[in-house]
Amino acid sequence: MMIDLKKIVRKNILELKPYSSARDEFSENSSMSSELLFLDANENPFGELNRYPDPYQLELKQCLAEIKQIPTDQIFIGNGSDEVIDLLFRVFCEPGKDKALTFSPTYGMYNVSSAINDVQLLEVPLNEKFNIDLSITTSYINDNNLKLLFICTPNNPTGNCLNRDAIIEILESFNGIVAIDEAYIDFSSETSWIEILDQFSNLVVIQTFSKARGLAAARIGVCFGSTEIIRLLNKVKPPYNISELNQRAAIASLKSTDKFEREVKILLKERDRLTLELAAIDFVSEVYPSQANFLLVEVDDADLRYQQLVQSGVIPRNRNTVVRNCLRITVGSPNQNDELIGLCNTLSIENNKVAE
Ligand code: PMP
């Protein structure tokens, strides 16, 4: 779908004159930078973190551009992908008028972010295989006020990748922004949607350093999209949204390819082991296949099992209200997973004793 961005961007954002920071008005020529005397940003001359960080995170984007093979002007960095999600609402959805859409069950922040922005969220249920059912989706997509659609793949909390054919169909027919959230893509055997970014002007892909990159504390979210969409996100973001410390941490992570690959490999192996070992536990009725770093596990009584695990110091996520009788369990280190399995075995032995 070739979209006319002017028709879907909020008018106030289109007309917005963004804040011009000191670093916008004078950006240094790197060969001279050590000789320059910066007296333009009311910074303190003393200390090590006294200067504002690069507002556009160029060094980080250059590292990412090389790895992802996407030009820097098609990359936006957010303070976690949660900031990217919020900014997409603020750029594209007129409060009290426009709508957004998700496929449920899915990541809870789409709902919260839409509520904060006073945007009605249409929640289309996934089918029994946790996939998109196009026959019920089509009627929603034709709504003129629908501006933004989120597809989380691999999906949280179900762990599966959503059907590619349905996503392509949506990209081709929807006259609004399709945000594909790939928080868990590094654990998946499927290829990233960034590979076909240039084929769809309405596609943005969101990724994060919080999962496979192990930098949840550094709050680095990434959005890939057309240069026009990236320009709009840059207009709306706070001027220095990524701290210097966090930019450095993200760059260091991108330079540590061996560490990243080694850890992902361990987690994938552990995911396979946990899948088998959890499936053998008495009170577990199903372990859903996962393309992410967590497992959706159906048990006999999720509230009870959650309580028991927590009492023993192991904290899963109780998703009972989202998918009946399901816990979502993050794949931990080999030792942590041993501890989890040991505890589940103990609980099922106790369970059997009570039953006798
Ligand atoms: N998207 C999905 C699907 C998630 O599961 C999460 C975090 N659990 C996020 C986004 C938020 O990630 P970040 O830490 O980058 O804000």
Side-chain angles (χ1 to χ4, degrees), residues 68 80-82 85 106-110 152-157 181-188 206-222 250 253-254 256 259-268 271 290-295 317 319 328-333:
K68 306 282 182 181
S81 33
D82 286 341
I85 293 166
T106 192
Y107 179 47
M109 271 311 284
Y110 311 130
C152 184
T153 183
N155 188 36
N156 175 5
D181 186 341
E182 292 190 334
Y184 301 97
I185 191 66
D186 295 312
F187 303 107
S188 164
I206 306 170
Q207 295 185 355
T208 178
F209 280 52
S210 297
K211 311 296 173 183
R213 290 258 163 216
L215 281 185
R219 315 304 304 126
I220 301 284
V222 186
S253 156
L254 291 177
S256 310
K259 177 179 180 294
F260 165 71
E261 287 175 354
R262 194 170 56 242
E263 288 174 0
V264 169
K265 210 166 150 194
I266 294 171
L267 292 173
L268 293 183
R271 180 180 75 194
S290 173
Q291 294 275 309
N293 67 334
F294 57 82
L295 295 168
R317 191 88 194 265
R319 298 280 78 187
R328 193 194 68 196
I329 303 179
T330 307
V331 177
S333 67

Side-chain angles (χ1 to χ4, degrees), residues 314-329:
V314 173
I315 324 292
R317 191 88 194 265
N318 185 358
R319 298 280 78 187
N320 188 26
T321 54
V322 186
V323 191
R324 203 172 143 62
N325 274 331
C326 280
L327 302 176
R328 193 194 68 196
I329 303 179

Side-chain angles (χ1 to χ4, degrees), residues 260-329:
F260 165 71
E261 287 175 354
R262 194 170 56 242
E263 288 174 0
V264 169
K265 210 166 150 194
I266 294 171
L267 292 173
L268 293 183
K269 200 164 153 227
E270 285 296 300
R271 180 180 75 194
D272 289 348
R273 171 170 84 98
L274 263 192
T275 304
L276 290 175
E277 294 187 0
L278 282 169
I281 303 287
D282 274 6
F283 59 81
V284 170
S285 44
E286 181 147 15
V287 182
Y288 288 94
S290 173
Q291 294 275 309
N293 67 334
F294 57 82
L295 295 168
L296 186 71
V297 182
E298 188 186 55
V299 295
D300 52 356
D301 181 341
D303 291 343
L304 171 71
R305 299 305 173 189
Y306 176 76
Q307 280 303 330
Q308 290 176 328
L309 289 168
V310 168
Q311 266 163 21
S312 302
V314 173
I315 324 292
R317 191 88 194 265
N318 185 358
R319 298 280 78 187
N320 188 26
T321 54
V322 186
V323 191
R324 203 172 143 62
N325 274 331
C326 280
L327 302 176
R328 193 194 68 196
I329 303 179

